[in-house]
Amino acid sequence: MRIAFTFLTYGTNIFGGIENALFNLTKGLKDIGHEVSVFTSSTYLSTNGNLPANVYQSKHLPTKYDGNVNRLISYLQDHSKLINSDLDSFLEKCKPDHVVVVDPIWGILEATAYINRRNIPISMSYHIANDWPETRPIMERSLLNQYANFFVVSRFLETEIKGKFNVARDVKMKILPNSIDTSLYSDPSSIPEEYIFCNSRIAEGKNVDVLVNAFSTIKDDGLELVLCTGKFPFGDSANVVNKMERLVKELRIENQVKFLPNINWVDVPAMVKKSYAVVLPSTYETFGIAALEASVAGVPLIVADATNFKNLVKRNALFFTPNAIEDLSKKIRTLRRNYKYYRDKSSKDKVHFINNFDNIVVAERLVNEIHSNNV
């Protein structure tokens, strides 16, 4: 089967969850023998090598993003004729059996009001709710469109979308979760090192400051805290990172906290596998790839008792009250005192995540859903 995707950015080593998810899904599809194509911008392609998908770069798509959604939408609308013409050329060239639009705005096609004159079946895939004032009109329009399938990454996201958009209440949504290459995280001989890893970027809403404050209360425990400062593709995160660095200095824990620069995707599994534990203080995750990585690796995991974490890792994680520094400190100490128990439990539970969230498993799920609709 020939499957095409549309999304503004595609490549490797991009510190964005949707980019990671799209790459993994296209890799899974290629691994099971399907021909995959992606319609995207050139933003992250010049420095990338081999990719699992054939890529069509539209020169009319934006290549820089400042985080202002209004400006992005205006750009897509102002250049819609040229972008849609490129999209026609893309479809003519790759002749897909099915197209998956990854998000109404960042997936391009809905924002540019593309008209499907080829009668190619098209599905919409949601990774976020898009309920900001700027994005609501396009989101609502997408929910009213006659797409072949409406995919969501989690039941939590489906509930959120249906709760915030009346037009979505009767829309049948199918779960297509994010995935990872689970073979990269399987290493029974891996010996944990003395660091807590937050494999989530420092950004607004990720609540890394809660973790830093909690960690400062156990700074004499011999553990190190490792944080990621990767650049976000849709905005500048430098100010948030600088604020975090100042907080670390104020708490006088500079010697116990390590800020990683942009790290390549290939290096992430080793960082996760060798970590003493993974802690994720974010209070809003529609899926939670970072939590999945720890779970597949069998590494003890502490997360905020919020959003999709409650569904995704309810069998293996320790939960703390969202934004509660004292409770997070308590959970880290609990893990420290009972480490063997939590390490053994995490190791046993990882089979569940491997069986349900491997790239190939999710890719097969997508293909089955497409076939089940007789498209």
Side-chain angles (χ1 to χ4, degrees), residues 142-153:
S142 74
L143 291 161
L144 292 169
N145 213 329
Q146 297 299 310
Y147 287 110
N149 298 281
F150 292 87
F151 295 116
V152 286
V153 292

Side-chain angles (χ1 to χ4, degrees), residues 5-7 37-41 56 58 61 83 86-87 90 108:
F5 295 84
T6 64
F7 193 68
S37 302
V38 177
F39 180 79
T40 188
S41 69
Y56 185 103
S58 170
L61 287 171
I83 294 170
D86 279 352
L87 185 54
F90 164 71
I108 307 161

